[in-house]
Amino acid sequence: MRKLPVSKKVYSDISERIRLSLGHMPESVAEAMRLVDAYIYGGPAESQDAMAMIAFNMVRVELDRAMARSLRARERAARRKASGEGNTGRNARRDFVNDLLKSMGFSGEDYDSSLSAEPEKPSRRLTRAERRAAARVRKGRWKALS
């Protein structure tokens, strides 16, 4: 499949709607899809099949909007790519955190050094008896109400 001037989601939605509405006439379905393909690639969208033309004219406005939306999205993506804003993943998170820390009055080097530092090895896990003893110490004893 060639690169479509609309999103794949819109194209599949339109083709599914045409198939559902003209399902009892397979020739009209094929003709309506030919009209849709010709229209989105800039060719003439004319046919002698009345049902195919009706189905096509019902989705034409939606196709126009989808083509314009897709064109704007591709232009935005090209501008982002040209300006180098395609910063994703860990670098984007690091930049975001550094900016946030600077706005709060901290330096971003603290965050960068914590990322590069080796994580601490977990200490030995306490046994059940040790965990219960620690809980008893934290909880304390009951005191008399009077």
Side-chain angles (χ1 to χ4, degrees):
M1 188 154 89
R2 295 183 288 184
K3 186 170 183 162
L4 295 172
V6 294
S7 70
K8 291 177 185 177
K9 182 178 178 182
V10 168
Y11 185 80
S12 65
D13 180 53
I14 287 175
S15 63
E16 182 66 24
R17 287 173 32 204
I18 288 174
R19 280 190 205 97
L20 287 175
S21 63
L22 299 176
H24 60 285
M25 295 180 278
E27 299 85 19
S28 294
V29 171
E31 184 63 18
M33 287 309 299
R34 186 196 64 77
L35 289 170
V36 168
D37 290 338
Y39 186 73
I40 63 176
Y41 289 117
E46 298 171 357
S47 176
Q48 299 300 320
D49 189 348
M51 293 304 289
M53 284 301 293
I54 289 172
F56 170 71
N57 285 326
M58 289 178 70
V59 297
R60 181 190 300 219
V61 174
E62 195 171 338
L63 278 172
D64 289 336
R65 273 189 264 145
M67 287 169 41
R69 189 173 52 239
S70 184
L71 179 65
R72 287 191 311 265
R74 286 190 174 113
E75 289 171 351
R76 282 192 309 270
R79 281 195 307 268
R80 267 194 318 267
K81 188 175 181 181
S83 69
E85 291 180 18
N87 194 6
T88 60
R90 189 174 185 132
N91 290 335
R93 286 191 300 269
R94 180 178 296 137
D95 293 344
F96 173 75
V97 170
N98 285 339
D99 292 342
L100 184 63
L101 288 173
K102 286 178 186 174
S103 70
M104 293 170 52
F106 298 104
S107 70
E109 289 80 29
D110 299 334
Y111 177 72
D112 287 337
S113 64
S114 69
L115 284 179
S116 61
E118 297 236 354
E120 294 179 16
K121 292 185 179 179
S123 62
R124 177 184 67 86
R125 184 180 164 127
L126 298 176
T127 64
R128 182 176 181 194
E130 291 169 336
R131 289 193 309 267
R132 285 183 164 208
R136 278 193 304 271
V137 169
R138 279 193 312 266
K139 186 175 180 183
R141 296 228 176 239
W142 285 61
K143 295 183 179 176
L145 294 175
S146 54

